[in-house]
Amino acid sequence: MAKVISIQEAISFIKDGDTIMVGGFMANGTPEQLVDALVEAGIKDLTLVCNDTGLPDKGVGKLVMHKQFKKIIATHVGLNKETGRQMAAGETEVVLVPQGTLVERIRAAGYGLGGILTPTGLGTLVEEGKEKITVDGKEYLLEKPLFADVALLYAARVDTAGNLVYKGSQNNFNNVMASAAKVTIVQAGELVEAGELDPNTVVTPGVFVNYIVEGGV
């Protein structure tokens, strides 16, 4: 049970100015109770790495509404008008990254790669300021790894060793983010003892998980 901590203890790992990754796709698979605790803690000047900024009242959108981000790296922000407003007003820096590129940059961080080569974004605003590399006569953008200080994830079933089982599409970014942060914290829909999970259903092994909080759906 050494990995199981309170939500308050979990949030104590996040400081003003940190970079956080938060799992979820349109808030599906987002650790809502961890997000709520982060809102309550009032931690600010954060950099967010996430697929999207949720909705105003759901997912990381709640953090957007409380203006706790100085920078957001995401694939789209259209579901949360406040993100767009902050972006247009210059209140929050928003960097839009193609979805496949975002997940590969996170994976590169987790797997110790120096970056990835992709043709996605060539000839668009995406290529601005990025190095181009030619391989076998074809040009690619070099996209560098994305790391985080803390990853906040959700899994439907978690054992006390930190092994994670996801329910359907709640997997989305959670699995790949687990390996790309200094500290990975998972909200468990259901917490069971080590050995109770069918190993064939485990997607993220416990070696990637530092801490677990009991949170429910």
Side-chain angles (χ1 to χ4, degrees), residues 143-183:
E143 295 280 4
K144 296 182 179 179
L146 274 175
F147 298 91
D149 296 296
V150 180
L152 301 177
L153 312 179
Y154 177 85
R157 300 190 77 208
V158 181
D159 72 15
T160 53
N163 296 301
L164 310 183
V165 175
Y166 305 102
K167 182 178 179 181
S169 62
Q170 288 180 343
N171 182 340
N172 52 67
F173 279 76
N174 284 286
N175 180 49
V176 72
M177 287 178 173
S179 62
K182 295 174 185 175
V183 177

Short mmCIF file of all heavy atoms in Angstrom, two decimals, residues 143-183:
data_model
loop_
_atom_site.label_atom_id
_atom_site.label_comp_id
_atom_site.label_asym_id
_atom_site.label_seq_id
_atom_site.Cartn_x
_atom_site.Cartn_y
_atom_site.Cartn_z
N GLU A 143 10.66 16.90 -34.26
CA GLU A 143 9.81 17.27 -33.13
C GLU A 143 10.42 16.70 -31.86
O GLU A 143 10.66 15.49 -31.75
CB GLU A 143 8.39 16.72 -33.32
CG GLU A 143 7.64 17.33 -34.50
CD GLU A 143 7.05 18.70 -34.17
OE1 GLU A 143 7.30 19.20 -33.05
OE2 GLU A 143 6.33 19.25 -35.03
N LYS A 144 10.70 17.56 -30.91
CA LYS A 144 11.44 17.15 -29.71
C LYS A 144 10.51 16.56 -28.64
O LYS A 144 9.31 16.81 -28.63
CB LYS A 144 12.23 18.34 -29.17
CG LYS A 144 13.31 18.81 -30.14
CD LYS A 144 14.12 19.95 -29.56
CE LYS A 144 15.21 20.39 -30.53
NZ LYS A 144 16.00 21.53 -30.00
N PRO A 145 11.08 15.79 -27.71
CA PRO A 145 10.28 15.14 -26.67
C PRO A 145 9.57 16.15 -25.76
O PRO A 145 10.06 17.26 -25.56
CB PRO A 145 11.31 14.34 -25.86
CG PRO A 145 12.49 14.20 -26.76
CD PRO A 145 12.51 15.43 -27.60
N LEU A 146 8.44 15.72 -25.22
CA LEU A 146 7.70 16.52 -24.25
C LEU A 146 7.73 15.82 -22.90
O LEU A 146 7.25 14.69 -22.75
CB LEU A 146 6.24 16.69 -24.68
CG LEU A 146 5.92 17.84 -25.64
CD1 LEU A 146 4.45 17.77 -26.06
CD2 LEU A 146 6.21 19.20 -25.00
N PHE A 147 8.30 16.47 -21.91
CA PHE A 147 8.39 15.93 -20.56
C PHE A 147 7.45 16.70 -19.63
O PHE A 147 7.01 17.80 -19.95
CB PHE A 147 9.82 16.06 -20.01
CG PHE A 147 10.86 15.31 -20.80
CD1 PHE A 147 11.53 15.92 -21.85
CD2 PHE A 147 11.18 14.00 -20.47
CE1 PHE A 147 12.50 15.24 -22.57
CE2 PHE A 147 12.14 13.32 -21.18
CZ PHE A 147 12.81 13.93 -22.23
N ALA A 148 7.19 16.13 -18.46
CA ALA A 148 6.39 16.82 -17.45
C ALA A 148 6.98 16.59 -16.07
O ALA A 148 7.67 15.59 -15.84
CB ALA A 148 4.94 16.33 -17.49
N ASP A 149 6.71 17.51 -15.18
CA ASP A 149 7.08 17.30 -13.79
C ASP A 149 6.16 16.27 -13.15
O ASP A 149 6.62 15.39 -12.42
CB ASP A 149 7.00 18.63 -13.02
CG ASP A 149 8.00 19.66 -13.53
OD1 ASP A 149 9.22 19.39 -13.41
OD2 ASP A 149 7.57 20.70 -14.06
N VAL A 150 4.87 16.39 -13.44
CA VAL A 150 3.88 15.48 -12.86
C VAL A 150 2.85 15.11 -13.91
O VAL A 150 2.39 15.97 -14.68
CB VAL A 150 3.16 16.13 -11.65
CG1 VAL A 150 2.13 15.17 -11.05
CG2 VAL A 150 4.17 16.56 -10.58
N ALA A 151 2.48 13.82 -13.97
CA ALA A 151 1.38 13.36 -14.81
C ALA A 151 0.23 12.96 -13.91
O ALA A 151 0.41 12.23 -12.93
CB ALA A 151 1.82 12.17 -15.67
N LEU A 152 -0.97 13.45 -14.23
CA LEU A 152 -2.19 13.11 -13.50
C LEU A 152 -3.07 12.27 -14.41
O LEU A 152 -3.54 12.75 -15.45
CB LEU A 152 -2.93 14.38 -13.07
CG LEU A 152 -2.14 15.35 -12.17
CD1 LEU A 152 -2.97 16.59 -11.88
CD2 LEU A 152 -1.71 14.67 -10.87
N LEU A 153 -3.28 11.01 -14.04
CA LEU A 153 -3.94 10.05 -14.93
C LEU A 153 -5.14 9.41 -14.25
O LEU A 153 -5.35 9.54 -13.05
CB LEU A 153 -2.93 8.97 -15.34
CG LEU A 153 -1.56 9.47 -15.83
CD1 LEU A 153 -0.68 8.28 -16.17
CD2 LEU A 153 -1.71 10.39 -17.03
N TYR A 154 -5.91 8.68 -15.06
CA TYR A 154 -7.06 7.94 -14.55
C TYR A 154 -7.04 6.53 -15.13
O TYR A 154 -6.74 6.34 -16.31
CB TYR A 154 -8.37 8.63 -14.94
CG TYR A 154 -9.58 7.84 -14.48
CD1 TYR A 154 -10.08 7.99 -13.18
CD2 TYR A 154 -10.21 6.91 -15.31
CE1 TYR A 154 -11.16 7.25 -12.74
CE2 TYR A 154 -11.29 6.16 -14.88
CZ TYR A 154 -11.76 6.33 -13.59
OH TYR A 154 -12.82 5.58 -13.14
N ALA A 155 -7.37 5.56 -14.29
CA ALA A 155 -7.54 4.18 -14.75
C ALA A 155 -8.73 3.58 -14.04
O ALA A 155 -8.99 3.87 -12.86
CB ALA A 155 -6.29 3.36 -14.49
N ALA A 156 -9.47 2.74 -14.74
CA ALA A 156 -10.70 2.16 -14.19
C ALA A 156 -10.41 1.21 -13.03
O ALA A 156 -11.11 1.21 -12.02
CB ALA A 156 -11.47 1.43 -15.28
N ARG A 157 -9.37 0.39 -13.18
CA ARG A 157 -8.98 -0.53 -12.11
C ARG A 157 -7.48 -0.43 -11.91
O ARG A 157 -6.70 -0.42 -12.87
CB ARG A 157 -9.37 -1.97 -12.44
CG ARG A 157 -10.85 -2.20 -12.66
CD ARG A 157 -11.16 -3.70 -12.73
NE ARG A 157 -11.15 -4.31 -11.40
CZ ARG A 157 -10.86 -5.58 -11.16
NH1 ARG A 157 -10.51 -6.39 -12.16
NH2 ARG A 157 -10.90 -6.06 -9.92
N VAL A 158 -7.07 -0.36 -10.65
CA VAL A 158 -5.66 -0.20 -10.31
C VAL A 158 -5.37 -1.11 -9.13
O VAL A 158 -6.17 -1.20 -8.19
CB VAL A 158 -5.35 1.27 -9.90
CG1 VAL A 158 -3.88 1.44 -9.56
CG2 VAL A 158 -5.77 2.23 -11.02
N ASP A 159 -4.23 -1.81 -9.18
CA ASP A 159 -3.87 -2.58 -7.99
C ASP A 159 -2.85 -1.79 -7.17
O ASP A 159 -2.32 -0.78 -7.62
CB ASP A 159 -3.41 -4.00 -8.32
CG ASP A 159 -2.04 -4.08 -8.99
OD1 ASP A 159 -1.29 -3.08 -8.96
OD2 ASP A 159 -1.72 -5.15 -9.54
N THR A 160 -2.59 -2.24 -5.97
CA THR A 160 -1.74 -1.48 -5.05
C THR A 160 -0.29 -1.41 -5.50
O THR A 160 0.50 -0.62 -4.96
CB THR A 160 -1.82 -2.07 -3.64
OG1 THR A 160 -1.54 -3.48 -3.69
CG2 THR A 160 -3.20 -1.85 -3.03
N ALA A 161 0.08 -2.20 -6.51
CA ALA A 161 1.42 -2.12 -7.08
C ALA A 161 1.49 -1.08 -8.20
O ALA A 161 2.57 -0.80 -8.73
CB ALA A 161 1.87 -3.48 -7.61
N GLY A 162 0.32 -0.51 -8.57
CA GLY A 162 0.28 0.52 -9.60
C GLY A 162 0.01 0.03 -11.00
O GLY A 162 0.10 0.80 -11.96
N ASN A 163 -0.34 -1.24 -11.17
CA ASN A 163 -0.71 -1.76 -12.49
C ASN A 163 -2.08 -1.20 -12.88
O ASN A 163 -3.00 -1.17 -12.06
CB ASN A 163 -0.73 -3.28 -12.47
CG ASN A 163 0.64 -3.86 -12.20
OD1 ASN A 163 1.60 -3.62 -12.93
ND2 ASN A 163 0.75 -4.63 -11.11
N LEU A 164 -2.21 -0.78 -14.14
CA LEU A 164 -3.40 -0.05 -14.57
C LEU A 164 -4.19 -0.79 -15.64
O LEU A 164 -3.62 -1.29 -16.62
CB LEU A 164 -3.00 1.32 -15.11
CG LEU A 164 -2.08 2.19 -14.25
CD1 LEU A 164 -1.86 3.54 -14.93
CD2 LEU A 164 -2.62 2.35 -12.85
N VAL A 165 -5.50 -0.80 -15.45
CA VAL A 165 -6.43 -1.33 -16.44
C VAL A 165 -7.39 -0.20 -16.81
O VAL A 165 -7.98 0.44 -15.93
CB VAL A 165 -7.23 -2.53 -15.88
CG1 VAL A 165 -8.28 -2.98 -16.90
CG2 VAL A 165 -6.30 -3.68 -15.54
N TYR A 166 -7.53 0.06 -18.11
CA TYR A 166 -8.40 1.13 -18.58
C TYR A 166 -9.71 0.55 -19.12
O TYR A 166 -9.75 -0.59 -19.55
CB TYR A 166 -7.71 1.93 -19.69
CG TYR A 166 -6.37 2.49 -19.29
CD1 TYR A 166 -5.19 1.88 -19.71
CD2 TYR A 166 -6.28 3.62 -18.49
CE1 TYR A 166 -3.95 2.39 -19.34
CE2 TYR A 166 -5.04 4.13 -18.12
CZ TYR A 166 -3.89 3.50 -18.54
OH TYR A 166 -2.68 4.00 -18.18
N LYS A 167 -10.74 1.37 -19.08
CA LYS A 167 -12.03 0.97 -19.64
C LYS A 167 -12.22 1.65 -20.98
O LYS A 167 -12.38 2.88 -21.06
CB LYS A 167 -13.16 1.35 -18.68
CG LYS A 167 -14.55 0.92 -19.17
CD LYS A 167 -15.62 1.30 -18.15
CE LYS A 167 -16.99 0.88 -18.65
NZ LYS A 167 -18.07 1.27 -17.67
N GLY A 168 -12.19 0.87 -22.05
CA GLY A 168 -12.41 1.41 -23.38
C GLY A 168 -11.51 2.56 -23.73
O GLY A 168 -10.30 2.54 -23.49
N SER A 169 -12.12 3.61 -24.28
CA SER A 169 -11.34 4.74 -24.77
C SER A 169 -10.81 5.64 -23.67
O SER A 169 -10.14 6.64 -23.95
CB SER A 169 -12.19 5.58 -25.75
OG SER A 169 -13.33 6.10 -25.09
N GLN A 170 -11.07 5.30 -22.41
CA GLN A 170 -10.45 6.06 -21.32
C GLN A 170 -8.94 5.90 -21.32
O GLN A 170 -8.23 6.67 -20.66
CB GLN A 170 -11.04 5.63 -19.97
CG GLN A 170 -12.46 6.09 -19.75
CD GLN A 170 -13.02 5.64 -18.41
OE1 GLN A 170 -12.50 4.75 -17.77
NE2 GLN A 170 -14.11 6.27 -18.00
N ASN A 171 -8.46 4.93 -22.05
CA ASN A 171 -7.00 4.74 -22.20
C ASN A 171 -6.39 6.01 -22.80
O ASN A 171 -5.51 6.62 -22.21
CB ASN A 171 -6.74 3.54 -23.10
CG ASN A 171 -5.26 3.24 -23.27
OD1 ASN A 171 -4.40 4.09 -23.04
ND2 ASN A 171 -4.95 2.03 -23.68
N ASN A 172 -6.88 6.42 -23.96
CA ASN A 172 -6.37 7.53 -24.78
C ASN A 172 -4.93 7.94 -24.43
O ASN A 172 -4.00 7.20 -24.71
CB ASN A 172 -7.34 8.73 -24.78
CG ASN A 172 -7.77 9.21 -23.41
OD1 ASN A 172 -6.99 9.73 -22.64
ND2 ASN A 172 -9.06 9.05 -23.11
N PHE A 173 -4.73 9.09 -23.82
CA PHE A 173 -3.37 9.58 -23.55
C PHE A 173 -2.79 9.07 -22.23
O PHE A 173 -1.62 9.28 -21.95
CB PHE A 173 -3.36 11.11 -23.56
CG PHE A 173 -3.30 11.71 -24.94
CD1 PHE A 173 -4.43 11.74 -25.75
CD2 PHE A 173 -2.12 12.24 -25.45
CE1 PHE A 173 -4.39 12.28 -27.02
CE2 PHE A 173 -2.06 12.77 -26.72
CZ PHE A 173 -3.20 12.80 -27.51
N ASN A 174 -3.61 8.45 -21.40
CA ASN A 174 -3.15 8.07 -20.07
C ASN A 174 -1.94 7.14 -20.11
O ASN A 174 -0.95 7.35 -19.41
CB ASN A 174 -4.29 7.40 -19.29
CG ASN A 174 -5.31 8.41 -18.78
OD1 ASN A 174 -5.05 9.14 -17.84
ND2 ASN A 174 -6.47 8.46 -19.43
N ASN A 175 -2.01 6.12 -20.94
CA ASN A 175 -0.92 5.13 -20.98
C ASN A 175 0.40 5.75 -21.41
O ASN A 175 1.44 5.54 -20.78
CB ASN A 175 -1.29 3.98 -21.90
CG ASN A 175 -0.20 2.93 -21.96
OD1 ASN A 175 0.30 2.49 -20.94
ND2 ASN A 175 0.17 2.54 -23.16
N VAL A 176 0.38 6.55 -22.47
CA VAL A 176 1.64 7.10 -22.98
C VAL A 176 2.21 8.17 -22.05
O VAL A 176 3.43 8.33 -21.95
CB VAL A 176 1.44 7.64 -24.42
CG1 VAL A 176 0.64 8.93 -24.43
CG2 VAL A 176 2.78 7.85 -25.11
N MET A 177 1.34 8.87 -21.33
CA MET A 177 1.83 9.90 -20.40
C MET A 177 2.48 9.31 -19.17
O MET A 177 3.30 9.97 -18.52
CB MET A 177 0.68 10.82 -19.98
CG MET A 177 0.21 11.78 -21.05
SD MET A 177 -1.18 12.78 -20.47
CE MET A 177 -1.36 13.93 -21.84
N ALA A 178 2.14 8.08 -18.82
CA ALA A 178 2.61 7.47 -17.57
C ALA A 178 4.13 7.42 -17.48
O ALA A 178 4.69 7.49 -16.38
CB ALA A 178 2.03 6.07 -17.43
N SER A 179 4.80 7.32 -18.62
CA SER A 179 6.25 7.17 -18.61
C SER A 179 7.01 8.46 -18.87
O SER A 179 8.24 8.48 -18.87
CB SER A 179 6.68 6.14 -19.68
OG SER A 179 6.30 6.60 -20.97
N ALA A 180 6.28 9.57 -19.06
CA ALA A 180 6.94 10.80 -19.53
C ALA A 180 7.03 11.88 -18.46
O ALA A 180 7.36 13.03 -18.78
CB ALA A 180 6.19 11.35 -20.75
N ALA A 181 6.75 11.54 -17.20
CA ALA A 181 6.81 12.53 -16.13
C ALA A 181 7.74 12.06 -15.02
O ALA A 181 7.97 10.87 -14.84
CB ALA A 181 5.40 12.77 -15.57
N LYS A 182 8.26 13.03 -14.27
CA LYS A 182 9.10 12.70 -13.13
C LYS A 182 8.28 11.96 -12.06
O LYS A 182 8.77 11.05 -11.41
CB LYS A 182 9.70 13.97 -12.53
CG LYS A 182 10.66 14.70 -13.45
CD LYS A 182 11.09 16.03 -12.82
CE LYS A 182 11.97 16.83 -13.77
NZ LYS A 182 12.29 18.18 -13.21
N VAL A 183 7.02 12.40 -11.89
CA VAL A 183 6.11 11.78 -10.92
C VAL A 183 4.79 11.49 -11.61
O VAL A 183 4.18 12.39 -12.21
CB VAL A 183 5.87 12.70 -9.70
CG1 VAL A 183 4.85 12.06 -8.74
CG2 VAL A 183 7.17 13.00 -8.98
#
